[in-house]
Amino acid sequence: MQRGEGLHDMALAMRDTATATWAAHREHAMLAAFGQWWIARQHLYADSMCVSAGGSCSAPGQKLQQRWWTTVAPMEQDVASSARAQAALARMEGPTFTGSCGLYVDGVGGPSGTGGQTCYLVNTGALAVGEANYGRLPQSVTDMNKVASQLTVEMPGSLPELAKSAQYNPFEAFTSRANVMQAWSSYGLLWTVVNDLLGVTPDMPAHSVAVVPEVPPSWPSLSVRDLRVGT
């Protein structure tokens, strides 16, 4: 279920035509309005909005691109047009946003002054999902590999919150450091494989499930076991 279709699909399942119609119109209006966040000269979506003038802001309502990792959200949520997604993802896979540890929390040259040093696995996972959503499978696999490479960094067999990177300190006090075991760190692996690469799409109201796989060229095969879908 993509593009904010949740309420629309639930209403159809309940045969609530009025709500389904309202939701479809609302979704269309929201997606049309979302286009204003695109910054054409940068080939990226804005990640911030000014609330007042000062600093980087010349006026309230000004859209900014400050190189935060949330720039990937339109592609992760599959609400960007194909052309804009391809352009933005190509930029985000470059050295400003991405390094050997994955997708930076804040990119090089951002407002924090320390950009390009910290990678969280959920960030890189979101990039993997975004790449797969738009058929960029080699790039998605590269991002997934960066997440998987952290499996033995902290607690063997468990993915940590923070990737090994420039600011990584395994001896930092537990009261101040990132979590050594974080469930959302596996998001970019599990969701990408099941939803995008295997193409498992359940339709609970219709009691059906579709499987439309798209296996990356670099993988000889792909399978999943014990995946529960309804009953």
Side-chain angles (χ1 to χ4, degrees):
M1 187 178 297
Q2 302 284 350
R3 298 182 178 273
E5 298 170 353
L7 179 57
H8 172 264
D9 290 353
M10 287 189 290
L12 286 181
M14 298 301 294
R15 298 181 175 82
D16 183 351
T17 305
T19 299
T21 301
W22 177 89
H25 287 136
R26 179 64 174 166
E27 176 196 351
H28 178 77
M30 291 175 70
L31 287 174
F34 183 73
Q36 67 182 303
W37 287 86
W38 180 249
I39 304 177
R41 66 183 183 277
Q42 297 190 44
H43 302 291
L44 291 167
Y45 283 95
D47 58 23
S48 310
M49 177 189 289
C50 297
V51 295
S52 61
S56 302
C57 299
S58 58
Q62 177 186 354
K63 308 298 190 301
L64 298 177
Q65 171 44 249
Q66 301 192 96
R67 302 177 181 175
W68 297 109
W69 75 273
T70 49
T71 298
V72 77
M75 285 69 73
E76 180 213 0
Q77 293 299 313
D78 197 11
V79 297
S81 68
S82 179
R84 289 180 175 179
Q86 295 290 341
L89 289 168
R91 284 289 312 276
M92 295 200 70
E93 289 287 1
T96 297
F97 284 90
T98 306
S100 59
C101 63
L103 179 62
Y104 300 133
V105 173
D106 53 325
V108 178
S112 72
T114 59
Q117 298 187 58
T118 303
C119 300
Y120 283 76
L121 271 62
V122 68
N123 305 0
T124 307
L127 182 58
V129 172
E131 295 282 16
N133 283 344
Y134 292 87
R136 296 164 58 94
L137 299 190
Q139 295 91 333
S140 180
V141 169
T142 296
D143 297 325
M144 292 170 66
N145 286 340
K146 290 178 180 179
V147 173
S149 70
Q150 304 298 307
L151 195 60
T152 59
V153 169
E154 290 277 359
M155 185 183 298
S158 179
L159 290 169
E161 185 172 27
L162 179 66
K164 189 174 183 180
S165 53
Q167 292 184 332
Y168 170 78
N169 177 12
F171 302 107
E172 184 177 344
F174 279 102
T175 54
S176 62
R177 64 171 298 165
N179 200 324
V180 299
M181 183 176 65
Q182 182 59 269
W184 66 21
S185 295
S186 63
Y187 156 64
L189 300 180
L190 301 179
W191 181 260
T192 306
V193 168
V194 174
N195 182 75
D196 289 290
L197 304 187
L198 281 172
V200 177
T201 309
D203 185 341
M204 297 304 185
H207 303 285
S208 67
V209 58
V211 182
V212 185
E214 186 175 10
V215 181
S218 59
W219 290 7
S221 63
L222 178 62
S223 64
V224 62
R225 294 180 302 172
D226 301 325
L227 177 64
R228 294 187 62 86
V229 181
T231 57

